[in-house]
């Protein structure tokens, strides 16, 4: 099970691009990198998943360097409603554990 | 579009009562999980199941018990509730496939024991 390290908290302003980096030095060959978003009083919600290089969907982009020892979640032009906790998970589907996550606060 | 349902959404009960938190899913997923989360704190895995008749304890010691008699149903029971059980309880399923894997969470049950 690859251990992940991500910042405890980040602040941003509306309209800015936010990049949250996750370190996972002992990622295994079969591991995927997945990011979840959690609002207060709700369960985490799947945002994006990738294995290598870059993945983009309607919500975010995920950048993964060639060595896969880190990944960066990029949220373009954040709004107040993007204030949430963001979790980075690395595993092959049997990880189950979410860690502390990064608390993103978007300010007006 | 929720495919995993938790009831009740909120529950306030007295100390010593027996309660069951319901979790049902319509996706046919084998793996299911229960997490406990206090406000602003981490998610803690308390129980999981790999399928019918399979139940395992998670990382956080919990006085709750679970059962998995049917694939779609994974209830959590507290035989005698205490104020220390006050928390949010989140149920989830997981899927795996050729494109990766993921977790789907229910909306949670916020339990208050008075």
């Amino acid at each position: 099970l690859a251990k992940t390290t991500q910042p405890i908290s980040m602040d941003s302003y509306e309209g800015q691009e936010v990049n949250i980096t996750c370190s996972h030095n002992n990622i295994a060959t079969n591991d995927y990198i997945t990011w979840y978003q959690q609002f207060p009083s709700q369960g985490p919600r799947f945002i994006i998943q990738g294995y290598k290089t870059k993945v983009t969907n309607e919500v975010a982009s995920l950048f993964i360097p060639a060595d896969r020892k880190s990944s960066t979640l990029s949220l373009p032009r954040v709004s107040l409603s993007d204030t949430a906790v963001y979790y980075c998970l690395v595993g092959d589907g049997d990880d189950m554990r979410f860690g502390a996550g990064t608390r993103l606060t978007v300010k007006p | 579009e929720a495919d995993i349902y938790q009831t009740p959404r909120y529950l306030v009960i007295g100390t010593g009562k027996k309660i069951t938190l319901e979790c049902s899913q319509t996706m046919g997923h084998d793996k299911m999980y229960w997490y406990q989360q206090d406000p602003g704190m981490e998610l803690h895995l308390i129980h999981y199941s790999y399928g019918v008749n399979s139940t395992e304890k998670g990382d956080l010691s919990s006085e709750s018990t679970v059962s998995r008699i049917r694939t779609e149903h994974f209830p959590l029971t507290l035989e005698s509730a205490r104020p220390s059980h006050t928390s949010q309880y989140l149920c989830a399923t997981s899927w795996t496939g050729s494109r990766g894997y993921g977790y789907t969470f229910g909306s949670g049950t916020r339990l208050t024991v008075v």
Side-chain angles (χ1 to χ4, degrees):
Chain A
L1 175 63
K3 181 180 177 180
T4 60
T5 302
Q6 52 183 124
I8 296 296
S9 64
M10 293 181 67
D11 289 339
S12 182
Y13 291 92
E14 283 190 291
Q16 289 187 333
E17 178 185 72
V18 171
N19 296 310
I20 307 174
T21 297
C22 180
S23 298
H24 28 83
N25 291 319
N26 58 341
I27 187 170
T29 302
N30 294 332
D31 288 346
Y32 284 81
I33 300 157
T34 315
W35 286 81
Y36 289 80
Q37 174 191 57
Q38 185 182 26
F39 298 115
S41 299
Q42 295 184 27
R45 182 177 71 103
F46 178 101
I47 299 177
I48 196 166
Q49 184 175 83
Y51 183 81
K52 61 180 178 180
T53 63
K54 177 184 175 182
V55 179
T56 299
N57 62 22
E58 64 279 5
V59 176
S61 294
L62 178 59
F63 298 91
I64 305 169
D67 66 6
R68 303 202 325 127
K69 294 183 183 299
S70 66
S71 58
T72 300
L73 174 73
S74 181
L75 304 172
R77 297 180 299 280
V78 294
S79 64
L80 297 176
S81 62
D82 291 315
T83 292
V85 178
Y86 293 82
Y87 299 93
C88 166
L89 264 71
V90 175
D92 59 1
D94 232 5
D95 30 80
M96 315 179 201
R97 293 155 179 94
F98 280 71
T102 297
R103 186 173 301 277
L104 173 66
T105 302
V106 180
K107 302 176 182 179
Chain B
E1 64 178 55
D3 297 309
I4 179 167
Y5 306 93
Q6 288 187 246
T7 56
R9 186 78 173 88
Y10 300 94
L11 179 62
V12 180
I13 62 168
T15 298
K17 299 292 186 182
K18 176 180 179 179
I19 59 168
T20 297
L21 307 184
E22 301 290 346
C23 177
S24 296
Q25 52 112 350
T26 60
M27 297 171 283
H29 293 164
D30 287 325
K31 295 181 182 179
M32 296 189 72
Y33 312 82
W34 275 103
Y35 294 85
Q36 184 177 341
Q37 185 178 37
D38 294 329
M41 305 299 286
E42 291 185 40
L43 282 155
H44 292 287
L45 179 69
I46 54 174
H47 296 284
Y48 59 98
S49 168
Y50 285 140
V52 171
N53 295 324
S54 156
T55 60
E56 302 287 344
K57 289 189 179 293
D59 300 329
L60 182 67
S61 175
S62 175
E63 295 168 340
S64 59
T65 59
V66 293
S67 62
R68 191 85 184 277
I69 299 173
R70 303 196 315 266
T71 297
E72 61 271 23
H73 196 212
F74 190 40
L76 181 146
T77 298
L78 278 166
E79 292 292 335
S80 180
R82 295 207 302 268
S84 60
H85 296 140
T86 294
S87 188
Q88 174 162 253
Y89 294 84
L90 290 160
C91 181
T93 74
S94 69
W95 54 268
T96 58
S98 58
R99 293 186 176 184
Y101 73 97
Y103 294 86
T104 303
F105 280 81
S107 298
T109 294
R110 182 163 296 283
L111 173 65
T112 302
V113 184
V114 298

